[in-house]
Amino acid sequence: MTKSPKKTAAKTKKAPPKKAKADKIDQAVEDTGAALKESVESLKEGAAEITDSAKNTAEATADAISDTTSRASSTLRDAAESLRDGSFQERTFGQLAASLADASDAIRDKDLGQISRDVSNLARRNPLLFAGGAALLGFAAARLMTKSGKNHDS
């Protein structure tokens, strides 16, 4: 039996050793793992930045709401003082001013998670009160926006 020339040529070509192939595969796996780890770290950093940004925005909004509520309380207190002592309007404005001052302090002193839970609980316990308060805030905001728009036109 004679050996075919193709088989001999195939044997004379040196195939890369199995260890070299395994090393290449190991290196590819390591590179892929490192790239994946880097991507995960980058995603974590991005998520942390987004969380921090959202938290800062929410805190700034809570501070703005607290300041606005405090100013409204002060305005109601001033209005109550200008009315006749002991009148129904004076007492009502005084009570509203005190309630708004308490709300302002609560917003300023609590963390955002607690405020969210409190508002959610209030909405569940008193849906009509919550809806009425939301409508009142909406009307007040619309009134302030139209008033500020008129000031800019003047």
Side-chain angles (χ1 to χ4, degrees):
M1 284 182 105
T2 61
K3 293 185 179 179
S4 73
K6 289 182 182 178
K7 287 184 180 178
T8 350
K11 285 185 178 180
T12 56
K13 276 187 184 178
K14 280 196 168 181
K18 290 182 181 180
K19 180 161 177 32
K21 287 181 182 179
D23 288 344
K24 285 182 180 179
I25 292 172
D26 289 343
Q27 186 61 43
V29 168
E30 283 180 30
D31 292 347
T32 303
L36 182 60
K37 186 176 180 178
E38 186 177 313
S39 295
V40 168
E41 289 300 318
S42 178
L43 285 172
K44 284 181 182 178
E45 289 172 8
E49 287 176 14
I50 290 170
T51 301
D52 288 344
S53 176
K55 184 178 178 182
N56 290 340
T57 301
E59 287 174 353
T61 302
D63 286 344
I65 290 170
S66 177
D67 291 344
T68 302
T69 305
S70 182
R71 284 195 306 273
S73 172
S74 179
T75 301
L76 281 171
R77 192 172 290 112
D78 291 346
E81 289 173 2
S82 70
L83 296 171
R84 184 172 44 98
D85 284 342
S87 70
F88 174 74
Q89 292 89 357
E90 187 263 339
R91 288 192 314 267
T92 303
F93 284 180
Q95 289 173 347
L96 284 172
S99 295
L100 284 176
D102 291 344
S104 175
D105 291 342
I107 290 170
R108 197 178 317 273
D109 295 340
K110 289 185 180 180
D111 72 333
L112 296 175
Q114 184 62 41
I115 292 171
S116 175
R117 286 187 294 276
D118 289 350
V119 169
S120 180
N121 289 337
L122 174 68
R124 273 191 228 108
R125 285 189 314 253
N126 302 308
L128 291 176
L129 175 66
F130 182 76
L136 182 62
L137 285 174
F139 290 132
R143 174 86 172 146
L144 289 173
M145 290 172 63
T146 56
K147 186 177 180 180
S148 67
K150 289 177 184 176
N151 289 343
H152 287 286
D153 292 340
S154 302

